[in-house]
Amino acid sequence: MDNLIFPFFSFLFGSVVGSFLNVCIHRLPRGESIIFPSSQCPYCNQTIRFYDNIPLLSYLILRGKCRFCGKPISPQYLIVEILSATFSLILFLKYPIWEYLIYFSFFSSLLVITFIDLKHQIIPDIISLPGIGIGFLSSFVLSRITYLDSFLGIALGGGILYGVALIYYLIMKTEGMGGGDIKLLAMIGAFLGSKAVLVTIFVSALIGSVVGLTIIVLKGKDRKYAIPFGPFLALGAIISLFWGNSLIAWYTNLMRW
Ligand SMILES: [Zn+2]
């Protein structure tokens, strides 16, 4: 049993963090404080009781409805808590404690960015810019990246997307990719390094195109319909963190043939 207690706590810790991330997702785009006041129902403005604010459980006990007015609570709250708890556990099992805390912070910021970008089509600088600095400092602690590679990742991540955005702008005369995406990719480069940034761009562009085309086919949106790219960059970064090295090895092998 002993060896199950710490993993269990990492799952619990992740769910509590997820609850806080939900507050960030709701309040950061509105420019509200993420600490005060305590959460309220957006419909009836009743303050949510502490016993109705238990991660994972409360949503299930209340069956996704406000205790007071019965209006539905967005499933996003449960989804974010489940993702946060699950990845906290996975990262805890995979890395030593300091690296776990760093990668879990990285994952948490990607989660917040994803849901804010999906809702509002913005990536807040207040997350991505400090993220670049924190990622660079983390490279002195992380075993799989050197500070030089982190620096290269920032330059490459920021530079490549900036180049793509510039070319797109010159050809299409409208902005295709926001400055938010560029800063996000620089942050990803800071945490994961230069090779992983390339994997991230490749994977997110691939998944993004497939999803984009599917939406166009299904809904008949015109070509300029903007799908936020941030969630794909975040997904690409997670795939790169877990399978980046295998993907690079597979690709190198493929090129030898
Ligand atoms: Zn309510």
Side-chain angles (χ1 to χ4, degrees), residues 41-46 66-71:
C41 169
Y43 302 105
C44 65
N45 291 327
Q46 283 276 5
C66 169
R67 177 185 291 279
F68 302 101
C69 66
K71 291 265 168 58

Side-chain angles (χ1 to χ4, degrees), residues 95-109:
Y95 292 105
I97 187 81
W98 287 113
E99 303 203 20
Y100 152 70
L101 288 173
I102 290 171
Y103 283 126
F104 184 53
S105 316
F106 177 56
F107 174 81
S108 301
S109 56

Side-chain angles (χ1 to χ4, degrees), residues 10 39 168 186:
S10 74
S39 301
Y168 187 91

Side-chain angles (χ1 to χ4, degrees), residues 108-157:
S108 301
S109 56
L110 291 178
L111 201 55
V112 171
I113 284 172
T114 294
F115 280 88
I116 289 180
D117 201 14
L118 282 174
K119 271 186 175 172
H120 304 275
Q121 278 80 50
I122 49 161
I123 296 174
D125 283 351
I126 200 165
I127 303 175
S128 58
L129 288 181
I132 296 172
I134 293 167
F136 179 69
L137 290 178
S138 302
S139 67
F140 290 90
V141 181
L142 296 172
S143 58
R144 57 181 270 170
I145 181 174
T146 63
Y147 71 92
L148 201 65
D149 194 29
S150 171
F151 180 77
L152 219 60
I154 297 170
L156 209 60

